Amino acid sequence: MLDASTKAQLKSYLERATQPIEIVASLDDSKASGEMRALLKDITDCSPLVSVTESRDDTCRKPSFSVNRPRENHGPRFAGLPMGHEFTSLILALLQIGGYPPKVEEEVLQQIRALDGDFEFEIYISLTCHNCPDVVQALNLMAVQNPRIKTTMIDGALFQDEVKARQIMAVPTVLLNGTEFGQGRMSLEEILAKIDTSGAEREAEKIGAKAPFDMLIVGGGPAGAAAAVYAARKGIRTGVASERFGGQVLDTLGIENFISIKETEGPKFAHALEEHVRNYDVDIMNLQRAKALIPNTGPNQDLIEIQLESGASLKCKSVVISTGARWRNINVPGETEFKNKGVAYCPHCDGPLFKGKRVAVIGGGNSGVEAAIDLAGLVGHVTLIEFDAKLRADAVLQRKLVSLKNVTVITNAQTTEITGDQTVNGLVYKDRATNELHRVELEGVFVQIGLIPNTDWLKGVVELSKHGEIVVDARGQTSVPGVFAAGDATTVPFKQIIIAAGDGAKAALGAFDYLIRISAPAA
C-alpha cells in the first residue's frame, strides 16, 4: 500500500511513540477493505508498538478502523483510507495515542479534559480537501484527551450512499450527536468555543484586561503577520487580534508564486506565518473579530480602541488593519438557501462530492476557469457562465478549457436564480444580448467571482473607496491619525500574497514612524 519512501517516513515518526497502540479494524470483502488491510499491515511493520485486530462488530462502518490505547476501543476512527491530505491526521492520531505530546498549550488540554458531556463527532471529508485535516486533527486530539469524546472521519467519496442520505454537499461537514455542528474549516479553539461558551467568556475577560499595545495588528493573514514581525523587531509592545490566523490563505490550495518558495499549500504557508510571528514577543489573540474602531480624537485621548465581537476591547497607540477579503456572493435567490447544499465556493474541497454530476461555475476570470478545469476531471459536465462578453482568464487557461469535451462556456450571461428543492437542481441565467431567460439543470454551483474587503465595521470611521477598500497613502496611513492598513482590505492594487506581505511590513514601518513622532519631545 505504502511506497518505500513513505514507509520509511512513517517508521521514523513512530519511533517517537512510547506506549502500545492497538488498532481495531472493521472490514469486509470489498476492494476498499483489502486496501485498508494492506495499509494497516504497513503500519504494524513500521513499529513493534502497533498491533491490529479485526472486530466482528457489525455496527461500525466498513471499512473503518479505530486507533486506541490498550484495552480501549473509543479512540479516533477512520472510515475510509486516510491518505492524501489526511495521512498526516493518521500519523498524529498514532503518535498521540502512543504517548507523544501534542503541540497544544496545557491550558487548552485542561479545557478539553474538563468538558462535561458525551460528544460523538462525525466528520465528512474528501481526500483532496486541504481544509478537512485541520478539523479531523482537532477533533481527534479531543478524543485522545477525553474518553467521553468520540470522532469518526468519513471519506464522502467512499460512503456515497450515506452522503446522499444525509445530504452532505460540502466538506468538511461535522455532525455532533447526529445533528449538524459546522461546515468548513474550524480550528481547535473554534470548536471549543462552540461547545464551551464559558471558555469564550473567560477569554474575553482576559483580553479586556490587557494593557494598551504600542501597535495592534487587526487580522492575521500575510499582511498582518508581516506587520507583527516588523513591529516586534522594533522592540515595542505588539499584539495581533485575528479571527483566524492565516486568513484567506487557509482556503488556498496551491501557492507557486511566492518568491523563494517554489511550491507550497495554503494551510502549510499559514502555519509557517504563525510560527514566524510566535518566534517574537507578540501577543496573538485568535478567534477575535473586530466590531468597531474608536479613534483617538480629542486632546486628552491618546489611545485608539478596537472593540471585538466577543465583548472585549483593546487599546493601542497605533493600529494596522489587515482584515483581508472574503468570497464575493452573486446575491441571487437561492444562493443563501442552498449554500453547502449544492452552492459551493471551493472546487478543490467540494469537487469530489459532485463526482459524475452536472455543475456550473460562475465567473470567467482565472479563478473561475481554473475551477472549471479542475472540476472537469471529476464531474459529469461543467457549464461555465461569464457575465462579460468574453472570458477574462489568461490565454493559456482558456486554451486548456476549450480543449475539454465536457465543458460548455456561456458568455454575456447574467445568473438570475439558483433553484432547488432540498438541494440545488438548476440555475437560471439571462442572455444579456436578447434578455431571454434560460435554465440549466444541474446539481452544483461553484461561485468564483472575486473578493470583497472585510471593512464593513469601518464604515463612517475611515475613508473607504467605492468598492469598500480602505484608502491608504504610500506609507499605509489611512484618513485617521495612527490608523494604518495593509493588504487585500486596502486600495493597494493586485491582491497577491507577496504584495500583502510587503504591504504589511510597509504599514508597520509607517506606524512605527508615527509612534516616534508623537512621542518626540516638543521643540
Side-chain angles (χ1 to χ4, degrees):
M1 181 66 193
L2 300 179
D3 58 38
S5 174
T6 305
K7 284 188 72 172
Q9 183 183 28
L10 178 59
K11 184 175 182 179
S12 69
Y13 280 125
L14 289 178
E15 287 173 355
R16 304 176 188 179
T18 58
Q19 300 171 7
I21 303 165
E22 293 186 355
I23 296 176
V24 179
S26 182
L27 305 170
D28 53 23
D29 296 327
S30 65
K31 179 182 177 182
S33 285
E35 292 174 340
M36 185 171 285
R37 280 192 181 91
L39 172 63
L40 297 180
K41 183 181 185 305
D42 284 343
I43 295 173
T44 57
D45 288 345
C46 290
S47 173
L49 289 175
V50 181
S51 62
V52 175
T53 59
E54 289 195 27
S55 169
R56 296 182 179 179
D57 185 357
D58 290 331
T59 63
C60 295
R61 294 176 180 86
K62 296 181 180 180
S64 69
F65 65 90
S66 59
V67 183
N68 311 285
R69 296 185 181 93
R71 296 173 298 281
E72 294 181 357
N73 192 19
H74 52 71
R77 178 171 290 274
F78 297 88
L81 285 175
M83 302 303 292
H85 289 295
E86 291 298 344
F87 190 58
T88 302
S89 302
L90 170 61
I91 292 173
L92 287 174
L94 290 166
L95 287 177
Q96 289 167 15
I97 286 292
Y100 190 76
K103 293 181 179 180
V104 177
E105 294 179 3
E106 182 59 30
E107 184 180 357
V108 175
L109 296 178
Q110 290 178 1
Q111 185 182 0
I112 295 170
R113 295 167 192 145
L115 288 172
D116 186 22
D118 295 311
F119 305 90
E120 184 169 350
F121 291 97
E122 297 167 290
I123 316 109
Y124 288 88
I125 62 97
S126 69
L127 297 179
T128 58
C129 171
H130 56 286
N131 289 323
C132 294
D134 276 5
V135 181
V136 173
Q137 290 163 25
L139 290 170
N140 282 355
L141 183 148
M142 291 173 63
V144 172
Q145 295 294 320
N146 188 329
R148 299 183 68 181
I149 299 174
K150 296 181 180 180
T151 67
T152 304
M153 179 217 82
I154 306 160
D155 180 2
L158 185 60
F159 292 89
Q160 282 283 318
D161 291 343
E162 191 172 325
V163 164
K164 185 176 180 180
R166 283 182 151 174
Q167 296 184 349
I168 306 295
M169 302 190 74
V171 292
T173 291
V174 180
L175 304 184
L176 172 57
N177 297 335
T179 302
E180 187 171 304
F181 175 76
Q183 291 178 322
R185 188 185 191 92
M186 289 182 285
S187 67
L188 175 61
E189 290 80 8
E190 287 174 300
I191 294 168
L192 281 173
K194 289 187 72 170
I195 61 177
D196 184 13
T197 54
S198 62
E201 292 169 0
R202 291 193 302 272
E203 184 65 18
E205 289 178 7
K206 189 165 64 174
I207 288 173
K210 291 180 183 289
F213 293 94
D214 292 313
M215 193 183 302
L216 177 68
I217 291 91
V218 182
V229 168
Y230 269 73
R233 286 174 64 86
K234 296 296 183 181
I236 62 177
R237 179 168 160 74
T238 305
V240 176
S242 175
E243 190 171 359
R244 57 174 190 162
F245 208 100
Q248 199 192 10
V249 167
L250 291 165
D251 303 322
T252 304
L253 182 59
I255 299 172
E256 299 176 350
N257 56 0
F258 194 91
I259 308 306
S260 82
I261 299 176
K262 186 177 179 180
E263 182 180 355
T264 187
E265 295 175 345
K268 188 184 296 184
F269 186 81
H271 179 70
L273 288 178
E274 185 168 358
E275 272 197 335
H276 194 170
V277 174
R278 289 189 183 278
N279 278 338
Y280 293 91
D281 187 15
V282 177
D283 189 345
I284 297 177
M285 296 158 279
N286 271 323
L287 304 186
Q288 301 303 321
R289 183 176 183 177
K291 182 176 70 173
L293 184 151
I294 313 298
N296 55 349
T297 55
N300 299 319
Q301 296 181 356
D302 60 351
L303 293 176
I304 301 164
E305 182 179 352
I306 299 293
Q307 296 178 348
L308 305 173
E309 293 282 1
S310 65
S313 67
L314 294 164
K315 293 187 178 180
C316 55
K317 295 177 183 177
S318 66
V319 63
V320 174
I321 299 169
S322 56
T323 45
R326 63 188 182 276
W327 290 113
R328 186 182 296 275
N329 294 325
I330 51 175
N331 295 318
V332 300
E335 181 180 21
T336 301
E337 294 86 338
F338 297 111
K339 184 177 180 181
N340 297 323
K341 296 297 180 184
V343 175
Y345 299 85
C346 179
H348 304 294
C349 300
D350 300 332
L353 298 178
F354 294 85
K355 186 176 181 180
K357 297 181 180 180
R358 300 162 297 178
V359 304
V361 173
I362 300 176
N366 281 352
S367 296
V369 173
E370 287 175 350
I373 292 170
D374 287 346
L375 289 166
L378 291 169
V379 304
H381 189 271
V382 180
T383 301
L384 188 144
I385 297 177
E386 164 56 29
F387 183 85
D388 205 348
K390 60 181 180 180
L391 299 181
R392 294 168 286 108
D394 295 342
V396 64
L397 294 175
Q398 292 192 45
R399 288 196 297 270
K400 175 63 176 177
L401 183 71
V402 298
S403 73
L404 302 173
K405 295 181 179 180
N406 63 336
V407 175
T408 300
V409 177
I410 302 174
T411 56
N412 213 23
Q414 179 182 359
T415 303
T416 60
E417 183 183 6
I418 296 172
T419 64
D421 184 7
Q422 293 181 315
T423 60
V424 167
N425 62 22
L427 176 150
V428 179
Y429 72 89
K430 181 175 71 173
D431 186 320
R432 296 178 61 229
T434 65
N435 287 329
E436 288 184 64
L437 293 178
H438 300 271
R439 174 179 166 81
V440 181
E441 293 189 359
L442 41 75
E443 290 76 41
V445 177
F446 288 82
V447 181
Q448 300 281 291
I449 59 170
L451 303 169
I452 186 168
N454 296 317
T455 57
D456 294 345
W457 62 288
L458 296 169
K459 289 179 179 177
V461 181
V462 301
E463 182 184 357
L464 303 177
S465 73
K466 65 179 182 179
H467 301 297
E469 299 166 317
I470 304 168
V471 177
V472 293
D473 66 13
R475 302 164 71 86
Q477 173 73 59
T478 72
S479 59
V480 177
V483 178
F484 293 74
D488 288 2
T490 74
T491 50
V492 171
F494 311 119
K495 312 306 185 186
Q496 297 290 309
I497 293 172
I498 195 166
I499 292 174
D503 211 36
K506 180 180 67 177
L509 293 173
F512 182 70
D513 185 64
Y514 165 82
L515 290 173
I516 292 173
R517 294 175 187 278
I518 64 170
S519 63

